[in-house]
């Protein structure tokens, strides 16, 4: 090609004054047409590298969350049925119990169907309200901006009820998701423009605005007080560990129950196994970064080992091993679905390692040093969401400086 151009330039004086051909000369146009113009051209994006789009990405996360949805209904119903005194079951009132009596499934904790139906009557209303209110806001903003409705809310809509206690009032769920969608996402431009996770922002709003409905021992199990078994307590494992006075090894907690998800807690966060399945789906499909997950686990292990080595005669939390931290509270759910959010986490690969490690380390640090607030995963991820652009800034700046030095050399 260079030789041909040189030959054309050599004979140019016979065609153009000055010895050079201009770009508009017929010879240049003929050569451009022959060598550069394709027989057909694309009318859509010419640089598509992958078949996945935003819709498929969001639906992948929804599919990954389905095991947590199943466990949310199963365990919510199980915990409620365990807490109901069989002798008082006939006294229960409310539309849920009317449905249960109409279906004839009963309240037996040994019946999978009874547990699923009872749990679904708590999860599905929260999910329906979340979707109805959240999508209404999405449609409203799409109309104002004159753009298409984005599929991003389908992820927020399924994650938000999974991180709520089953007793959350529906009006509070509507208020919380409104805060998350409007003030944590839409005011910044919509999906892809938010700097904090909308579902976590909605949960944090409820946590600070209505602490009585989101904390304590009575909100995690949906059992009316008058129908509960005598001496029944709905405290989560984190809540039970918070008040333990004996050494951790003597407490007698079941790690397998916590791993499988048969403990009180937020509906979709109790099963580390379900979260692990979701994490594998997200990592294999590359919707979320495996680097963030691995780094978060490493941060948890490192900080737990440090406190195990230090020890304490007054704080039993120092002796809690890292494998327990990984099945407590929202650690597994946050690792799989919240920390890996590609919008609110760092974009650089090295930044993901720092981001994940800091989340894992800070969660253990707060649980041990401040046992009055053992469930710290939510606020730690929100804090690191804010720090993610700073992490990216330093890595990008380092890359630019390195390339400048390479160019100068």
């Amino acid at each position: 090609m260079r030789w041909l151009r040189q030959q054309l330039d050599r004979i140019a004086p016979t065609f153009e004054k000055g010895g050079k051909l201009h770009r508009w000369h017929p010879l240049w146009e003929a050569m451009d047409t022959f060598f550069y113009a394709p027989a057909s051209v694309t009318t859509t994006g010419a640089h598509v590298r992958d078949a996945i789009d935003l819709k498929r990405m969001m639906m992948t996360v929804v599919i990954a969350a389905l095991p947590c949805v199943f466990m949310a209904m199963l365990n919510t119903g199980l915990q409620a049925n365990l807490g109901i005194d069989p002798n008082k079951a006939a006294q229960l009132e409310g539309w849920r119990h009317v449905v249960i009596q109409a279906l004839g499934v009963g309240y037996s904790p040994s019946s999978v169907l009874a547990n699923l139906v009872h749990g679904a009557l708590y999860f599905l209303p929260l999910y329906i309200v979340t979707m109805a209110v959240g999508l209404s806001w999405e449609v409203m903003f799409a109309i104002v901006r004159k753009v298409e409705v984005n599929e991003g809310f389908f992820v927020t809509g399924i994650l938000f009820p999974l991180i709520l206690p089953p007793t959350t009032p529906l009006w509070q769920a509507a208020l919380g998701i409104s805060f998350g969608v409007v003030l944590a996402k839409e005011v910044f431009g919509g999906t892809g423009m938010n700097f904090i996770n909308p579902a976590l922002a909605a949960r944090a709003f409820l946590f600070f605005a209505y602490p009585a409905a989101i904390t304590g021992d009575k909100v995690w199990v949906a059992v009316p007080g008058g129908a509960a078994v005598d001496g029944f307590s709905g405290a989560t494992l984190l809540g039970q560990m918070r008040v333990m006075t004996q050494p951790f090894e003597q407490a007698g907690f079941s790690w397998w129950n916590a791993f499988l998800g048969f403990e009180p807690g937020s509906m979709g966060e109790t099963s580390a196994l379900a979260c692990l399945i979701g994490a594998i789906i997200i990592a294999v499909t590359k919707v979320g970064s495996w680097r963030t997950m691995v780094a978060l686990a490493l941060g948890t292990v490192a900080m737990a080992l440090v406190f195990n080595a230090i020890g304490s005669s007054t704080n039993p939390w120092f002796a809690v091993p890292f494998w327990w931290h990984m099945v407590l509270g929202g650690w597994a759910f946050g690792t799989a679905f919240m920390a890996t959010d590609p919008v609110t986490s760092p974009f650089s690969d090295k930044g993901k390692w720092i981001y994940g490690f800091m989340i894992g380390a800070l969660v253990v640090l707060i649980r041990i040093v401040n046992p009055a607030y053992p469930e710290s995963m939510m606020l730690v991820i929100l804090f690191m969401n804010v720090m993610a652009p700073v992490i990216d800034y330093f890595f990008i700046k380092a890359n630019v400086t390195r390339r400048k030095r390479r160019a100068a050399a």
Side-chain angles (χ1 to χ4, degrees), residues 311-332:
S312 173
S313 58
T314 58
N315 188 348
W317 273 95
F318 276 68
V320 176
F322 66 84
W323 55 85
W324 262 103
H325 283 286
M326 293 178 177
V327 297
L328 292 174
W331 188 96

Side-chain angles (χ1 to χ4, degrees), residues 50-60 151 287:
D50 200 325
I52 193 170
D53 57 10
L54 183 61
K55 182 187 298 184
R56 290 180 176 86
M57 179 182 293
M58 296 304 174
M59 291 310 299
T60 299
E151 299 88 354
V287 171

Side-chain angles (χ1 to χ4, degrees), residues 322-347:
F322 66 84
W323 55 85
W324 262 103
H325 283 286
M326 293 178 177
V327 297
L328 292 174
W331 188 96
F333 192 87
T335 300
F337 297 100
M338 300 301 186
T340 55
D341 181 1
V343 177
T344 57
S345 62
F347 292 102

Side-chain angles (χ1 to χ4, degrees), residues 106 147 166 176 270:
V147 297
T270 60

Side-chain angles (χ1 to χ4, degrees), residues 42 74 123 192 220 285 323:
T42 180
L74 179 64
F123 174 79
W220 309 109
T285 57
W323 55 85

